[in-house]
Amino acid sequence: MMRCVAMRPTFMHTGQLGTLAAVVTFFNQGGDPGGRYPGTSELTPLGLSALDESDLVAFMQALTGPGAPVALQSSPK
């Protein structure tokens, strides 16, 4: 679920990243190549430019808003 993702206080399953920019950078570099987190990583570097990264963060920040009206939040009967 991406709506209002920029309003989260932390990111990732353990809350180790504090900003959307940090999340995008994390995935762009292919996870944690230094091995700070145990386990096998299946991530590979994305190859995004600095502009691509900032555009992606701006897009996710643009998803902040009130959401759909309550009447539209369930399937039609």
Side-chain angles (χ1 to χ4, degrees), residues 15-42:
Q16 72 259 32
L17 300 177
T19 65
L20 283 174
V23 173
V24 172
T25 298
F26 178 86
F27 282 102
N28 191 34
Q29 68 187 12
D32 184 32
R36 191 172 28 180
Y37 305 106
T40 303
S41 177
E42 297 176 0

Side-chain angles (χ1 to χ4, degrees), residues 3-19:
R3 181 167 298 283
C4 298
V5 69
M7 297 175 70
R8 295 182 54 92
T10 59
F11 300 89
M12 309 301 276
H13 67 282
T14 61
Q16 72 259 32
L17 300 177
T19 65

